[in-house]
Amino acid sequence: MTVTNDSALTQWLLDAPLMELMPRAERSRDEGHGRLMSYSRKVFIPLTHLCRDVCHYCTFAQRPRAGKAAYLSPDDVLSIARAGAAAGCTEALFTLGDKPELRYHAARDALAALGHETTIGYLEAMCALVLRETGLLPHANPGLMSREEIAGLRTVTASQGIMLESLSERLCEPGGVHYGSPDKRPQLRLDTLRLAGELQVPFTTGILIGIGETRRERLDALCAIREIHAEYGHVQEVIVQNFRAKPGTKRANAAEPDLDDLLWTVAAARLILGSEMNIQAPPNLSPGVFPRLIAAGINDWGGVSPVTPDHVNPEAPWPAIVELARQTADAGKLLVNRLPVYPSYARSSEIWLAPEVASRVLRMSDAEGLARDDDWAPGSLVSPRMPAILARSVDPAVDRIIAKAVGGDRLEEPEIVRLFATRDADFERVTFAADELRQAVSGDTIRYVVNRNINYTNICYYRCQFCAFSKGKKHEALRGAPYDLALEEIVRRAVEAWDRGATELCLQGGIHPEYTGETYLGICRAIKTAVPGMHIHAFSPLEVTQGAATLGLSVRSFLAALKTAGLGTLPGTAAEILDDEVRAKICPDKLTTAEWLDVARAAHGLGLRTTSTIMYGHLEQSSSWAKHLLALRDLQKETGGFTEFVPLPFVHMEAPMYLRGRARRGPTFREAVLMHAVARLTLHPGITNIQTSWVKMGPQGAAACLKAGANDLGGTLMNESISRAAGTEHGQEFPPEAMEQLIRSLGRQPEQRSTSYGPVMTERRQASMRAAVLAPVILTPPRKLAVVG
């Protein structure tokens, strides 16, 4: 059925049988939301039960009573909020009556005692208190609001809402359920909805069915919501709530809408509001029929509290979240926890949220804008846990993408994004397929290299927003003091590393303002003179570019000079995210994507192989991950010069942009495992080695990645400075014995390798297994440099 206007659509919806509407609504929902069914884990804070309205179905609103506080005190509010935070909630849902101070002296007196003139003024203060003290994100439903009130609440809430309920003016006349309720006039509620749009507030609204309205009036209300949303784009969810008769109200004996009526309204809402809209039906008001509601087109269960009852419908208990997840999975969908602000608004928080709220949302969300699903973070000692698997089937689209990747075909960006979004059984399928491909390509051997990291200076004139390692020449904030290693110390460490069985030195540092290309050339010559057999794996594309510029050489000419001086391979760091929109935010003065790729291309052309990396989990999204992987795949097809791909999850603890509230807490564990698995699939067959970073993932996390497509455990490192500066707690060395023990615990075979994935001599392996304790390192203070020749 194709309709050209609201009148035709309304008539078709009124005439079409339910069994025709539901499949259409279900298909529309799947187009916009796929397999995901969301909910918000919330705590319910009834700030006041006083209300100036007298809706004939409501038991929430109460009159003032002697001995009963008119409002929750700040201590009461915090007590409820803290219980919610302890139970893993992310949302503090404030419910309250409409402007009771306009009706009751008791409300005015109570507000005055609390230091406020209006209920909404007190609400704003309590939202600020909860946000500041507990970190929960407030969502406020205070009824009608002025522009100033919405704007004030916007500074301390993640979202706001007002139920439109109905557009029927009849319901406000004598005998109607809204008679005597001045705040329920439809136009006034539409005005609030429109003001929220003008102020760019993520907003919740909806309709209440079965209160005396007609089906046509329901459709009129839905069309009005759609019209306002089309203008402002701020309606983040529409609730279809079914009336429940409650004892003690004027409608205690009124008939409730039956299931078919509810299903019809849900399906109609989906077909009017479109595939992208979030449509919700409260699960506690319709127990036992969850599959039918899903089949009618909802994609959200609303707020579900593990702590507090539904104070508006106290007779209807919340379903247990584990049971809701099971029933959702039984219906072929995957339950995901969202924040009170929906993902599309969370991902554009600079538009939709006040700065303090945006920072909290960023820290609480994953790359898709949903709530983080674990407490793990890269570099932390929190034990990671694999996601639970409840679904009984895998999305056929995921299987099709996997088959394409395994066949060696280039995936498109949306296909890669889909793989990164997998959860539950789909996640399990992706990781299993990646590990099967790993076994086919690399067998059961897991390789590692015995190496030493030497970060020769932490002085850097770049100001990358993610870096806790670099210092200005006089800057001693964050971890450690500025240093600039003397050449003698670099050589001493190189000799010591060789004595301990190392085959590789990995050298990188800050971009020191006094370094020139001769500095880098001199380092290579000194190491090769002292330890001729040592492989030098050094200098990111950024250092190469800077060194070339200081000597007036082309990148290719400088790389050739480095090779002559002893450089063996280059680390593919300084890539961060190969997406210039993201780079403009996190490292605006650094190389562009094209410049980074050009350095790698030039190195490959000279026979200098490089690694490739990604730093992920800060402020980017999975579309950026996809762009990055495709850029690497395409260059590998052109040059064949990448030896491996190394995912580097963002370590947030000391990172400046995290401390300023501008980054997430790194990837979730699910995302980190997926980065390895999706990389294996996307980069096949060009890049055959996928490495996992033990210093960021930790041994347990690295083990999980080795079962999800990775085949390399990286280097033993001996000294690790950059991740330690960022806050990782996983140590500075992973000795060969420990690496091999971990590898064997997975039923795999360990093998020491060279930097370029060749075998190592028996003498080197034996030396690595009887390594002496490292001597203390010397961090040479900053000094005026002489040119190193």
Side-chain angles (χ1 to χ4, degrees):
M1 172 67 184
T2 301
V3 294
T4 58
N5 55 55
D6 283 348
S7 177
L9 175 59
T10 296
Q11 193 58 52
W12 176 68
L13 290 170
L14 291 170
D15 293 340
L18 179 61
M19 290 304 101
E20 181 180 345
L21 296 182
M22 287 179 62
R24 290 175 179 267
E26 190 172 24
R27 287 194 297 271
S28 176
R29 183 271 320 284
D30 289 348
E31 288 173 8
H33 301 279
R35 300 190 79 190
L36 301 187
M37 286 286 299
S38 55
Y39 81 101
S40 175
R41 197 177 182 100
K42 73 177 180 184
V43 61
F44 214 129
I45 303 178
L47 192 63
T48 180
H49 284 270
L50 303 183
C51 182
R52 71 166 174 166
D53 295 325
V54 290
C55 302
H56 299 178
Y57 46 77
C58 180
T59 58
F60 178 82
Q62 300 171 6
R63 293 175 176 273
R65 285 185 289 173
K68 181 176 175 59
Y71 294 84
L72 293 179
S73 70
D75 286 345
D76 293 333
V77 169
L78 274 183
S79 177
I80 296 170
R82 284 173 174 151
C89 297
T90 58
E91 174 181 353
L93 171 62
F94 283 87
T95 55
L96 56 156
D98 274 81
K99 296 181 173 57
E101 67 273 19
L102 299 181
R103 181 178 181 185
Y104 297 116
H105 282 290
R108 294 193 289 273
D109 293 343
L111 285 169
L114 291 164
H116 293 272
E117 293 183 0
T118 67
T119 298
I120 292 182
Y122 183 50
L123 170 65
E124 181 181 333
M126 291 303 96
C127 288
L129 180 68
V130 166
L131 183 67
R132 182 177 66 251
E133 297 295 329
T134 73
L136 293 182
L137 297 169
H139 171 84
N141 288 327
L144 295 184
M145 292 177 280
S146 67
R147 177 182 293 274
E148 292 72 24
E149 288 168 335
I150 295 172
L153 284 172
R154 188 184 189 276
T155 65
V156 291
T157 60
S159 53
Q160 301 174 39
I162 186 171
M163 287 289 283
L164 178 57
E165 295 194 5
S166 176
L167 275 190
S168 175
E169 288 285 352
R170 294 182 301 100
L171 302 184
C172 297
E173 297 171 359
V177 295
H178 292 151
Y179 181 65
S181 300
D183 300 287
K184 292 302 174 78
R185 289 286 177 184
Q187 188 56 53
L188 296 178
R189 298 179 89 76
L190 286 174
D191 289 345
T192 296
L193 185 58
R194 187 174 295 278
L195 284 172
E198 293 175 0
L199 293 169
Q200 295 183 307
V201 175
F203 216 70
T204 293
T205 190
I207 60 174
L208 179 60
I209 70 170
I211 56 174
E213 82 293 347
T214 66
R215 282 190 170 187
R216 186 178 292 275
E217 288 168 335
R218 293 179 199 170
L219 301 183
D220 290 344
L222 292 169
C223 288
I225 293 169
R226 185 190 63 189
E227 180 182 342
I228 294 176
H229 177 66
E231 185 173 358
Y232 300 106
H234 69 303
V235 177
Q236 63 168 3
E237 69 178 334
V238 174
I239 303 170
V240 178
Q241 183 169 332
N242 48 314
F243 159 74
R244 295 287 295 268
K246 297 176 175 61
T249 68
K250 292 184 178 181
R251 288 183 62 82
N253 298 315
E256 298 178 348
D258 62 20
L259 178 59
D260 281 357
D261 199 17
L262 175 60
L263 296 175
W264 178 88
T265 310
V266 168
R270 172 60 67 195
L271 294 170
I272 288 174
L273 295 167
S275 61
E276 298 295 328
M277 180 57 71
N278 298 295
I279 295 179
Q280 175 197 132
N284 60 318
L285 300 185
S286 303
V289 295
F290 294 171
R292 300 293 304 282
L293 291 172
I294 293 172
I298 66 168
N299 69 288
D300 189 82
W301 292 120
V304 177
S305 179
V307 179
T308 51
D310 180 351
H311 290 282
V312 176
N313 299 283
E315 78 288 353
W318 302 113
I321 292 172
V322 291
E323 179 61 17
L324 187 63
R326 186 191 66 78
Q327 292 200 38
T328 301
D330 288 346
K333 300 297 178 184
L334 309 177
L335 187 68
V336 293
N337 186 11
R338 61 168 173 82
L339 303 172
V341 58
Y342 275 80
S344 62
Y345 299 90
R347 293 194 302 264
S348 302
S349 58
E350 69 281 2
I351 297 172
W352 295 102
L353 300 173
E356 182 181 355
V357 180
S359 294
R360 297 294 180 94
V361 166
L362 194 57
R363 290 177 174 183
M364 296 168 73
S365 64
D366 65 15
E368 294 175 79
L370 291 163
R372 297 179 70 89
D373 51 16
D374 58 37
D375 294 326
W376 179 86
S380 75
L381 297 180
V382 174
S383 296
R385 54 183 175 82
M386 294 296 279
I389 309 300
L390 296 176
R392 300 173 183 174
S393 64
V394 172
D395 184 351
V398 170
D399 269 332
R400 289 193 294 270
I401 297 168
I402 289 172
K404 181 178 178 181
V406 171
D409 292 335
R410 185 183 190 274
L411 299 181
E412 298 300 323
E413 183 181 321
E415 294 173 314
I416 300 171
V417 169
R418 177 68 188 94
L419 294 182
F420 277 124
T422 53
R423 298 169 186 266
D424 203 281
D426 296 343
F427 165 86
E428 185 178 55
R429 177 73 182 97
V430 169
T431 55
F432 182 77
D435 205 45
E436 281 191 319
L437 184 56
R438 181 272 314 157
Q439 206 283 331
V441 170
S442 186
D444 286 330
T445 299
I446 294 177
R447 296 173 176 84
Y448 68 95
V449 63
V450 178
N451 67 346
R452 184 170 199 169
N453 266 19
I454 301 179
N455 303 118
Y456 35 77
T457 184
N458 63 354
I459 297 171
C460 185
Y461 62 79
Y462 283 82
R463 291 292 179 265
C464 300
Q465 297 300 301
F466 53 83
C467 184
F469 173 74
S470 67
K471 317 289 178 186
K473 211 169 183 182
K474 304 292 185 182
H475 184 56
E476 298 193 14
L478 300 177
R479 295 190 176 201
Y483 70 83
D484 178 17
L485 296 187
L487 190 59
E488 294 77 13
E489 172 64 9
I490 294 175
V491 170
R492 185 198 69 78
R493 293 191 198 183
V495 172
E496 183 180 37
W498 182 261
D499 292 343
R500 297 180 88 244
T503 59
E504 171 192 298
L505 283 185
C506 179
L507 298 107
Q508 297 177 93
I511 306 300
H512 195 298
E514 296 176 12
Y515 277 20
T516 72
E518 280 299 329
T519 309
Y520 304 122
L521 291 166
I523 288 172
C524 289
R525 294 177 189 129
I527 291 170
K528 277 298 184 180
T529 299
V531 195
M534 185 70 82
H535 181 98
I536 300 177
H537 179 67
F539 314 135
S540 72
L542 181 61
E543 290 162 288
V544 170
T545 302
Q546 184 255 1
T550 61
L551 299 180
L553 297 176
S554 68
V555 165
R556 181 180 177 85
S557 296
F558 183 54
L559 283 167
L562 287 169
K563 185 177 181 181
T564 300
L567 180 66
T569 53
L570 282 75
T573 48
E576 328 312 351
I577 291 287
L578 296 177
D579 180 339
D580 286 331
E581 287 188 18
V582 178
R583 298 180 77 80
K585 297 176 182 177
I586 67 172
C587 51
D589 52 353
K590 218 167 186 178
L591 300 177
T592 66
T593 295
E595 289 168 340
W596 188 95
L597 292 169
D598 283 345
V599 175
R601 182 180 288 108
H604 298 171
L606 291 168
L608 288 167
R609 303 193 73 188
T610 74
T611 65
S612 58
T613 66
I614 186 173
M615 186 193 70
Y616 63 105
H618 35 92
L619 54 77
E620 82 298 353
Q621 298 170 20
S622 57
S623 58
S624 296
W625 303 344
K627 290 182 176 72
H628 187 108
L629 291 177
L630 289 174
L632 297 180
R633 178 192 169 95
D634 292 344
L635 184 57
Q636 182 72 344
K637 185 175 181 180
E638 176 187 338
T639 69
F642 290 127
T643 54
E644 70 225 68
F645 174 67
V646 190
L648 301 173
F650 172 62
V651 178
H652 72 282
M653 294 80 158
E654 300 290 341
M657 65 182 180
Y658 177 79
L659 297 176
R660 294 170 186 150
R662 298 175 186 169
R664 299 193 297 278
R665 297 176 56 243
T668 66
F669 188 63
R670 177 187 63 85
E671 291 170 337
V673 173
L674 276 173
M675 180 58 74
H676 295 75
V678 175
R680 169 64 69 186
L681 294 166
T682 303
L683 299 175
H684 176 71
I687 299 179
T688 56
N689 298 301
I690 307 297
Q691 183 184 124
T692 185
S693 170
W694 62 264
V695 76
K696 293 177 171 61
M697 295 296 302
Q700 287 179 280
C705 294
L706 290 170
K707 293 188 286 187
N711 68 306
D712 192 90
L713 202 45
T716 58
L717 300 185
M718 298 191 195
N719 299 111
E720 200 293 316
S721 303
I722 295 175
S723 294
R724 293 286 294 175
T728 185
E729 300 173 308
H730 288 305
Q732 298 190 63
E733 183 174 21
F734 201 176
E737 299 90 338
M739 279 202 171
E740 296 200 358
Q741 182 180 8
L742 174 63
I743 291 166
R744 288 194 175 97
S745 74
L746 301 176
R748 309 276 176 82
Q749 181 63 37
E751 182 179 293
Q752 279 192 25
R753 63 167 174 84
S754 69
T755 305
S756 298
Y757 284 81
V760 300
M761 296 177 64
T762 302
E763 174 272 330
R764 290 286 81 204
R765 174 173 167 78
Q766 290 174 345
S768 74
M769 293 296 180
R770 57 173 186 266
V773 175
L774 282 165
V777 298
I778 298 170
L779 298 178
T780 311
R783 64 198 188 285
K784 185 70 177 178
L785 293 178
V787 174
V788 180

